[in-house]
Amino acid sequence: QVQLVESGGGLVQPGGSLRLSCVASGSIFRINDMGWYRQAPGKERELVATITSRNSAGYADSVRGRFTISRDNARNTVSLQGSSLKPEDTAVYYCNAKVIVAGTWSNHDAWGQGTQVTVSS
C-alpha cells in the first residue's frame, strides 16, 4: 500500500557527519507529518526530528543544533542531515510518514525498514 525506503547511514567517525534519505511510494493521496526516529540497542525507539507538510520542524533535545530535517513534498522524500556526531547517536534510524491513503482516504502510519548508523573510531 505505502512503502518507505531509507538510504544512507553506515560507519561514521565521532565528529563526522551523515545524511539519511527516505522516499515514500505507493497509494499516497497526501503525506502529513514526516519524521525520523532511532532505536539504540537495549533502548526504546525515540523521536529524533519531525517536519510538517508546511516545513515546520521539531527536534529532540539531544540532536537540536546538530541535525537538520528537510522534505521535498513533490518527491515524497524526507532527509536528515547530521553533524558533530557522537557515539551516543549510534542506532538504527527509521523513517516515518503519516499518510492519507489514496482511494480509501484512511490514515496510515508508515515506517521504513531502518538503516544502521554507527558512530565509532
Side-chain angles (χ1 to χ4, degrees):
Q1 211 175 26
V2 177
Q3 299 82 39
L4 300 184
V5 177
E6 298 127 338
S7 60
L11 178 63
V12 182
Q13 290 192 339
S17 61
L18 66 78
R19 181 175 178 82
L20 306 178
S21 297
C22 172
V23 57
S25 63
S27 302
I28 298 170
F29 172 70
R30 185 173 70 235
I31 301 177
N32 292 324
D33 291 0
M34 302 186 82
W36 289 93
Y37 291 72
R38 67 187 182 186
Q39 187 167 18
K43 296 187 177 181
E44 294 188 354
R45 189 174 298 188
E46 64 175 3
L47 172 70
V48 177
T50 61
I51 186 167
T52 70
S53 58
R54 297 188 178 186
N55 289 311
S56 177
Y59 298 91
D61 289 343
S62 58
V63 305
R64 187 176 291 112
R66 299 188 298 121
F67 286 23
T68 301
I69 189 171
S70 60
R71 66 188 284 174
D72 183 331
N73 290 330
R75 299 183 180 185
N76 290 336
T77 61
V78 62
S79 298
L80 185 71
Q81 182 82 36
S83 62
S84 302
L85 289 176
K86 306 174 183 179
E88 49 263 44
D89 294 318
T90 296
V92 178
Y93 284 70
Y94 296 91
C95 172
N96 172 257
K98 314 295 186 189
V99 178
I100 297 178
V101 179
T104 65
W105 321 122
S106 59
N107 293 309
H108 178 62
D109 199 13
W111 291 90
Q113 79 283 358
T115 185
Q116 177 71 46
V117 173
T118 301
V119 183
S120 174
S121 55

